[in-house]
Amino acid sequence: MILLLQDSGSFAFPDVDWGGLSPLLVMAGVPLVFLTVWSLTSHIAPRRTPSIVAVLGGIGTIVAAAIQWGRVSGDDVPGFSTLSSAYSVDGFSMLLTMLIAAAVTLTALFAHDYLEREDINSAEFFVLLMLSASGGIVMAGANDLIVLFLGLEVLSIAVYVLAASHMRRAESQEAGIKYFVLGAFASAFLLYGIALMYGATGSTNLVHISEWSAKLSREGNTGLLYGGMALLLVGLGFKVAAVPFHSWTPDVYHGAPSPTVSFMASAVKVAGFAGLLRVFNLTLGADALADDWAPMIFVLAVLSLIYGTVVGVVQDNVKRMLAYSSISHAGFILVGVEAASDDGMTAALYYLAAYTFIAIGSFAVISVAAPKGDAAHSLTDYKGLASRKPVLALAFTILLLAQAGVPFTTGFLGKFFVIGASIQSENYLLAIFAMLAAVVGAFLYLRIVLAMYSTGDEADAAVTGTEPIPWTAALTIGITVAFTVFFGIFADLMVDLVGDAVPQLVRETAAG
Amino acid sequence: MELTSTWYLVLAAILFALGATGLLVRRNPLIMFMCVELMLNAVNLTFVTFGNDLNDLGGEISVFFVLVVAAAEVVIGLAIIVAIMRRRNEATADDLSALRG
């Protein structure tokens, strides 16, 4: 069929650089093949197989992305785009691909024992996890707005199901339908934004949009362009949970199963910011345009910082507190986006990388702390956790302190870099807001730490930490804590890595 | 009076606004899904109009992608509703209030 079209000359089949697509192909191919194989072998294979396949698929994607990274890093070999300039392979897309794949690996690692405990274990969870991640990888490399939209939908539709996948908890299904309705609402806005961009510039390709938007801005003919820009921001702001598009976050984080939340807080946020950085900082990054969208991001960042920390402090449910903290983290990353500079972009990427591991570790702790039912997450339930499970409480404390931004953790450096980038772009007001939010936010995390280390009334408080911790969860928590502390002390290693990942906007060229 | 493309764009904007308003004020999940469809189809109309104006096939092709995505979204949404209905008899948005944002 393809040959036929090629021969007739009426359809030019685009050049495909299979190497550049290999991380995506692994992440999308493994679950599809596995689902078929599993339907035939599920009665003889060990029950842990789906989880192992997902972990291996995640590691395979990381390896494939690392190989591609080697091709595109360095000044003499810039990134390139393939598939008629629809998908770009550069340091940026490969770094974020690795982050998303790491989120899949770590989540799949501890998800199996959680799902067994809750009696909801099925291979579909892991298949959907990987398919969702493949959508995120498409978003990370999208060089065309329609491709970005398709990636976002593949990512989201799988996560809607994952959020509702705890069939025995009404809260889980409620979380699923709330996330679905609001997600579809936001997707429609994003799509309308794409349509207006298309109308303004005549193409959905980011390279074309970049050239035309600069030209339109010089001519002062920007009505449609700005409409499109605002609507795109609504759609992407929803995915990264920025105020005022955050209303789903506390409910969904509260209701959805903990492994799903771990994936949402890490991979979905990474993918959302991938789209935001590529569309705004890169495509619409011309100075005249940046002056117009930066104030919108400014408002989102300030609102997210204030709302996330202030409302988070007064919650009494640990899962909800972490949901609000995830909103305020989105605010911090937006501070880096708002700087509209290379430094700001690097800072945002660093923050994303740090937060991905911290969030997965935190939700892995939450998944094993509460007993069956996944419901005992109030602060009183966490009282005395330190005396029952000292190591778990210590690990959670480290992760929470990292979120608060205590030195010698990646969380501190993330906050330091975004605020530094903001000051360098002379946005002193935003930097002050970010610093204040960091101070108030510390109180949020200390409340959880205090609850764990206080001796509650054992009779009615001994709810969490009563069951043995599965080795898979222990391994996940160990990896995330080690990552957070190691790269917090030896900061140069990760800073160099992220510094190589500044995205590029390239037309299709021969692969380097 | 000649129907210029502006008319189509305004119609699409009105449909989009109707869908968005409906989604926010109606309480029946099925009606809410229909409102999402209305919004997506308003976007489709915008795409086709721009594609026609620009004499570019890209607009029309985008519509196919949107249609596929809309179909997939509705399948998932209905499946979640069915899962909820198996637990309780009626499902309006007001019944789903165990979680308070």
Side-chain angles (χ1 to χ4, degrees), chain A residues 295-497:
Chain A
M296 294 197 282
I297 306 254
F298 179 92
V299 172
L300 291 191
V302 169
L303 288 178
S304 306
L305 287 168
I306 295 176
Y307 186 87
T309 41
V310 172
V311 182
V313 164
V314 299
Q315 299 295 312
D316 56 2
N317 180 301
V318 174
K319 257 177 137 180
R320 290 182 91 84
M321 288 172 104
L322 289 185
Y324 283 103
S325 102
S326 135
I327 294 175
S328 82
H329 285 302
F332 278 108
I333 304 172
L334 283 172
V335 171
V337 176
E338 201 266 353
S341 61
D342 279 356
D343 278 345
M345 207 145 34
T346 312
L349 286 175
Y350 183 90
Y351 203 113
L352 273 177
Y355 180 65
T356 297
F357 285 88
I358 297 173
I360 292 175
S362 304
F363 284 105
V365 171
I366 281 184
S367 81
V368 291
K372 184 174 178 180
D374 199 10
H377 290 299
S378 74
L379 274 179
T380 46
D381 293 332
Y382 278 71
K383 272 192 177 164
L385 183 66
S387 58
R388 290 187 293 274
K389 289 273 186 291
V391 181
L392 184 73
L394 180 68
F396 200 20
T397 305
I398 294 173
L399 291 166
L400 289 171
L401 290 178
Q403 295 205 40
V406 169
F408 303 115
T409 61
T410 50
F412 166 75
L413 291 169
K415 286 193 168 60
F416 180 76
F417 288 143
V418 290
I419 293 173
S422 186
I423 288 174
Q424 224 159 43
S425 301
E426 298 178 355
N427 300 322
Y428 301 115
L429 187 60
L430 192 56
I432 290 169
F433 271 115
M435 284 184 238
L436 286 177
V439 173
V440 179
F443 185 57
L444 189 163
Y445 307 110
L446 286 178
R447 272 191 80 198
I448 306 179
V449 174
L450 277 177
M452 288 194 300
Y453 282 93
S454 67
T455 46
D457 186 359
E458 292 289 323
D460 55 40
V463 181
T464 52
T466 48
E467 289 171 32
I469 301 170
W471 65 269
T472 49
L475 184 61
T476 310
I477 298 166
I479 292 172
T480 52
V481 170
F483 181 94
T484 304
V485 175
F486 180 82
F487 287 106
I489 295 170
F490 301 100
D492 295 353
L493 300 171
M494 198 159 106
V495 174
D496 290 346
L497 193 72

Side-chain angles (χ1 to χ4, degrees), chain A residues 146 150 153 157 161 167-168 170-171 173-174 177-178 180-181 185 188-189 191-192 195 198-199 202 251 254 320, chain B residues 13 16 23 33 39-40 43 46 50-51 54 56 59 62 65-66 69 73 76-77 81 87 96-101:
Chain A
I146 288 292
L150 290 177
E153 287 298 320
I157 288 176
V161 183
M167 297 300 280
R168 284 180 188 75
E171 288 92 343
Q173 288 166 1
E174 187 182 325
I177 191 109
K178 276 185 176 164
F180 169 75
V181 170
F185 189 61
F189 274 94
L191 193 62
Y192 202 29
Y198 171 69
D251 280 359
H254 184 184
R320 290 182 91 84
Chain B
F16 190 86
L23 192 117
F33 288 178
M39 292 167 82
L40 291 177
V43 177
T46 313
F50 280 137
L54 298 162
D56 174 44
S62 302
F65 289 114
V66 178
V69 164
E73 261 188 355
I76 292 300
I81 292 231
R87 298 177 55 93
L96 300 170
S97 55
L99 302 168
R100 293 251 175 231

Side-chain angles (χ1 to χ4, degrees), chain A residues 36-351:
Chain A
T36 316
V37 175
W38 183 250
S39 64
L40 302 172
T41 59
S42 59
H43 55 288
I44 47 169
R47 287 178 61 78
R48 200 178 278 279
T49 312
S51 154
I52 295 171
V53 168
V55 169
L56 292 180
I59 293 173
T61 310
I62 295 175
V63 171
I67 294 170
Q68 297 309 312
W69 176 292
R71 283 174 71 194
V72 294
S73 68
D75 295 334
D76 49 329
V77 195
F80 59 92
S81 64
T82 181
L83 280 174
S84 290
S85 186
Y87 190 84
S88 52
V89 181
D90 53 17
F92 176 81
S93 66
M94 286 306 130
L95 174 77
L96 295 181
T97 300
M98 280 195 260
L99 277 183
I100 292 169
V104 169
T105 309
L106 292 170
T107 304
L109 190 60
F110 78 88
H112 174 79
D113 286 304
Y114 171 90
L115 297 172
E116 283 284 293
R117 190 189 76 198
E118 304 287 329
D119 289 332
I120 49 174
N121 202 6
S122 63
E124 286 83 1
F125 183 92
F126 298 97
V127 169
L128 287 168
L129 195 68
M130 298 183 76
L131 285 176
S132 173
S134 73
I137 293 174
V138 171
M139 279 183 84
N143 209 23
D144 188 295
L145 286 175
I146 288 292
V147 176
L148 182 77
F149 173 72
L150 290 177
L152 181 93
E153 287 298 320
V154 172
L155 173 86
S156 308
I157 288 176
V159 177
Y160 301 149
V161 183
L162 287 177
S165 62
H166 200 319
M167 297 300 280
R168 284 180 188 75
R169 285 188 74 211
E171 288 92 343
S172 172
Q173 288 166 1
E174 187 182 325
I177 191 109
K178 276 185 176 164
Y179 193 30
F180 169 75
V181 170
L182 289 171
F185 189 61
S187 305
F189 274 94
L190 180 90
L191 193 62
Y192 202 29
I194 295 174
L196 294 186
M197 279 286 188
Y198 171 69
T201 62
S203 170
T204 53
N205 189 280
L206 294 184
V207 183
H208 186 102
I209 290 178
S210 174
E211 286 162 4
W212 272 79
S213 57
K215 180 169 168 285
L216 287 173
S217 146
R218 276 196 302 276
E219 292 167 358
N221 182 16
T222 47
L224 273 180
L225 190 68
Y226 284 5
M229 231 149 77
L231 290 168
L232 279 173
L233 193 59
V234 173
L236 292 170
F238 176 89
K239 281 295 153 215
V240 303
V243 180
F245 316 114
H246 66 286
S247 55
W248 57 277
T249 318
D251 280 359
V252 175
Y253 277 42
H254 184 184
S258 298
T260 306
V261 182
S262 145
F263 182 75
M264 283 199 307
S266 52
V268 174
K269 225 181 210 41
V270 169
F273 272 109
L276 206 61
L277 285 168
R278 209 180 266 280
V279 171
F280 283 90
N281 285 37
L282 199 58
T283 309
L284 304 169
D287 281 345
L289 280 165
D291 288 346
D292 290 316
W293 57 254
M296 294 197 282
I297 306 254
F298 179 92
V299 172
L300 291 191
V302 169
L303 288 178
S304 306
L305 287 168
I306 295 176
Y307 186 87
T309 41
V310 172
V311 182
V313 164
V314 299
Q315 299 295 312
D316 56 2
N317 180 301
V318 174
K319 257 177 137 180
R320 290 182 91 84
M321 288 172 104
L322 289 185
Y324 283 103
S325 102
S326 135
I327 294 175
S328 82
H329 285 302
F332 278 108
I333 304 172
L334 283 172
V335 171
V337 176
E338 201 266 353
S341 61
D342 279 356
D343 278 345
M345 207 145 34
T346 312
L349 286 175
Y350 183 90
Y351 203 113

